[in-house]
Amino acid sequence: MENIGQFLPLILIFAVAYFFMIRPQIKRQKDEKKFASELKKGDKVITKSGLHGKIVELNDNDFSCIIETMAGRLKFDRSAISMEMSQKLNAPAAKK
């Protein structure tokens, strides 16, 4: 019984690390995968590098998409699209 008391602080540290660091990161990764798989033609997106554009074509073979910008069409991997920035772009404007 005394041995459990010695390891209790270590167990608590791992539990706190899991619930405050590891679990939210896993949830975020699932959300990003879901966002990337739900992209469709015509969606306005922003890449992680800050490029704004509209999806013109999706390729399921190599998980890429072609984005049309004012400079032309560019091919990107779907993982290069920023979920947070794209959702802010497509969110309805707040009423004042």
Side-chain angles (χ1 to χ4, degrees):
M1 197 56 134
E2 293 176 14
N3 291 340
I4 294 175
Q6 291 175 345
F7 292 111
L8 189 60
L10 191 58
I11 293 170
L12 289 174
I13 289 172
F14 282 120
V16 168
Y18 176 77
F19 284 108
F20 287 106
M21 295 172 65
I22 298 169
R23 191 167 175 243
Q25 183 64 26
I26 292 171
K27 183 181 182 302
R28 180 182 168 94
Q29 288 174 346
K30 284 181 183 178
D31 290 344
E32 285 189 19
K33 277 187 177 181
K34 181 180 175 188
F35 172 77
S37 66
E38 290 178 348
L39 288 173
K40 59 187 179 300
K41 291 181 183 179
D43 284 351
K44 292 181 181 179
V45 295
I46 301 175
T47 63
K48 291 181 180 176
S49 61
L51 184 80
H52 293 241
K54 184 173 74 172
I55 295 178
V56 188
E57 187 177 323
L58 294 167
N59 187 351
D60 290 331
N61 293 335
D62 60 354
F63 212 60
S64 66
C65 63
I66 297 179
I67 299 175
E68 184 174 27
T69 66
M70 295 191 68
R73 292 181 176 198
L74 301 168
K75 184 175 182 177
F76 280 94
D77 193 49
R78 290 189 201 180
S79 64
I81 296 173
S82 172
M83 179 178 70
E84 292 87 15
M85 297 300 292
S86 296
Q87 287 176 342
K88 285 181 185 176
L89 177 70
N90 293 321
K95 294 182 181 179
K96 293 184 179 180

